[in-house]
Amino acid sequence: MIIQATELSKVYGEGENRVVALDRASLAIAPGDLISIMGPSGSGKSTLLHLLSGLDRPTSGQLTYDGKDIYRLGDKELSAFRRRRIGFIFQQFHLLPVLTARENIIMPLLLDKKQPDQGYLEELAGMLGIGERLGHLPHELSGGQQQRVAIARALIAKPDVIFADEPTGNLDSRSGSEVMELLKQVGRELGKALVVITHDSRVAGMAARRLVMVDGVLTEVTAG
Ligand code: ADP
Ligand code: MG
């Protein structure tokens, strides 16, 4: 699976309120790529992630997954595409508080009317070190454990690519590093592409491909 974004732009508002949140960003993502995107607050990182994942549509530009232009899909088809092909991880975890870890993890499958593969669920939980915690509610887990549950949820539907928006932003630096290391390891073992937005240069430095965003302009800075 190859993702190709070509000159994606996003403009909000009009006249005096016009903001160019993203200015002709191009990026190719290959299977197994580990990509970090750093940049100041308001530089357009989340906007880019929303466009790359089809959560939003650009003002101009193109996005293809394996050559297929996904912005041509209708809203319903696009959300089905997202559920099957893309995993998301957020800074605030976004776990449902009344559901156990196990129930949170399988939620994307239930939304797609699919039965969870129990073997795969156990395998993921084992890799992420939460095998003993699956019956717990989110508030009974530490921040790092909650984010590991969210990582399992992002992977349960076997997507091709995971997008993570500040996944370590709500964690102390030690559990942040652990979560990032796990994310990297699981991505590698399962062959997923991983795109991580972060403020933390140590987290960004763990990625093989590093990009920076300044005022809506995306630049790859990977050495060599
Ligand atoms: P980052 O994630 O890097 O902090 P964002 O992508 O959230 O940046 O925002 C980039 C710019 O676009 C900011 O100036 C922000 O205020 C603006 N912006 C983002 N979303 C909207 C929106 N829905 N309506 C208007 N402006 C927006
Ligand atoms: Mg953001």
Side-chain angles (χ1 to χ4, degrees), residues 12 19 21 40-47:
Y12 292 111
V19 175
S41 185
S43 60
K45 304 181 299 296
S46 295
T47 300

Side-chain angles (χ1 to χ4, degrees), residues 2-222:
I2 304 284
I3 303 172
Q4 175 70 57
T6 310
E7 303 225 327
L8 290 179
S9 293
K10 184 74 180 183
V11 180
Y12 292 111
E14 285 174 31
E16 278 182 11
N17 298 320
R18 190 170 184 273
V19 175
V20 180
L22 191 65
D23 188 4
R24 290 164 291 167
S26 296
L27 176 65
I29 304 171
D33 268 359
L34 176 54
I35 295 175
S36 67
I37 301 175
M38 271 193 94
S41 185
S43 60
K45 304 181 299 296
S46 295
T47 300
L48 174 66
L49 219 65
H50 293 159
L51 294 177
L52 289 176
S53 58
L55 275 172
D56 198 2
R57 295 171 190 268
T59 307
S60 61
Q62 220 196 17
L63 177 67
T64 59
Y65 277 65
D66 281 338
K68 184 174 171 191
D69 183 343
I70 70 154
Y71 299 137
R72 284 176 188 259
L73 298 173
D75 288 346
K76 226 174 142 181
E77 289 169 300
L78 188 53
S79 53
F81 176 84
R82 272 199 312 270
R83 279 200 305 273
R84 288 165 197 163
R85 307 286 300 272
I86 299 174
F88 293 96
I89 299 168
F90 305 95
Q91 178 173 353
Q92 317 285 356
F93 320 137
H94 289 322
L95 300 176
L96 293 170
V98 298
L99 300 184
T100 63
R102 180 190 300 276
E103 291 163 345
N104 268 287
I105 292 169
I106 64 175
M107 187 49 69
L109 296 176
L110 300 184
L111 290 172
D112 215 18
K113 299 186 175 63
K114 287 196 182 122
Q115 283 308 308
D117 171 345
Q118 290 300 334
Y120 184 59
L121 171 58
E122 302 296 333
E123 182 191 345
L124 279 178
M127 285 168 101
L128 291 163
I130 49 170
E132 310 298 309
R133 295 282 181 275
L134 293 177
H136 288 64
L137 294 170
H139 79 264
E140 298 168 332
L141 303 172
S142 70
Q145 288 168 339
Q146 290 184 55
Q147 195 59 304
R148 285 184 267 153
V149 170
I151 293 171
R153 179 184 55 188
L155 287 162
I156 194 73
K158 304 184 178 170
D160 304 299
V161 57
I162 306 277
F163 292 107
D165 196 347
E166 302 272 7
T168 64
N170 265 19
L171 303 175
D172 61 61
S173 68
R174 179 150 157 257
S175 41
S177 298
E178 278 170 15
V179 159
M180 184 60 196
E181 195 52 60
L182 272 172
L183 195 52
K184 204 174 148 174
Q185 185 189 325
V186 172
R188 192 167 50 225
E189 281 176 28
L190 301 175
K192 309 299 181 193
L194 191 57
V195 181
V196 179
I197 286 180
T198 181
H199 264 96
D200 184 335
S201 56
R202 283 184 320 153
V203 170
M206 293 166 83
R209 292 180 65 193
R210 294 181 291 283
L211 291 93
V212 293
M213 179 82 89
V214 178
D215 289 340
V217 177
L218 182 69
T219 311
E220 184 146 5
V221 293
T222 311

